[in-house]
Amino acid sequence: MHELSIATAIVEQADEWARTEGADTVSTVSVRVGELSGVVLDALTFAFEVARDGTALADARLVVEQVTARAWCGPCDEEFAVGMPPFFWCPHCDRPSTELRSGRELEITAVE
């Protein structure tokens, strides 16, 4: 379960931010997780609850924004959702896409 290592990294970075800012506690950590990142959201939430114990994030909640996977088709200049499982064929011009625009994100966006 790689979500535990991801949650641990999130907690460590947010805890470091809290110390740098002189904060004793963190109430919320917001993250963006791409649809194609390979992260199971329920597992990440559970792992976060385990990883936060004994830190400034002990009572913090994890807010997850899921980012839809989107591809771009050069020939028709259209962006489209690829879905799950991903299908990189342009629904507008019926050609394969060559560029993934979003969906692989895994980033902290806010710590409060």
Side-chain angles (χ1 to χ4, degrees):
M1 176 163 102
H2 73 286
E3 284 80 0
L4 183 56
S5 62
I6 294 168
T8 300
I10 291 170
V11 168
E12 288 172 353
Q13 289 181 16
D15 194 46
E16 181 179 322
W17 173 87
R19 280 182 278 143
T20 301
E21 294 296 314
D24 294 330
T25 61
V26 172
S27 61
T28 306
V29 179
S30 299
V31 296
R32 295 180 76 222
V33 179
E35 186 176 29
L36 301 177
S37 67
V39 175
V40 177
L41 299 182
D42 289 340
L44 179 62
T45 300
F46 176 77
F48 178 81
E49 291 173 2
V50 171
R52 70 185 181 177
D53 286 344
T55 71
L57 288 84
D59 295 320
R61 66 185 181 100
L62 183 65
V63 175
V64 178
E65 173 192 351
Q66 187 170 9
V67 179
T68 302
R70 298 191 64 78
W72 180 73
C73 178
C76 69
D77 196 30
E78 290 288 332
E79 190 173 281
F80 59 94
V82 299
M84 280 304 283
F87 187 69
F88 293 94
W89 206 263
C90 180
H92 304 283
C93 71
D94 203 30
R95 294 183 187 164
S97 171
T98 58
E99 183 180 335
L100 183 64
R101 290 254 168 119
S102 66
R104 298 188 68 197
E105 297 82 355
L106 181 55
E107 60 190 355
I108 297 172
T109 57
V111 178
E112 299 170 10

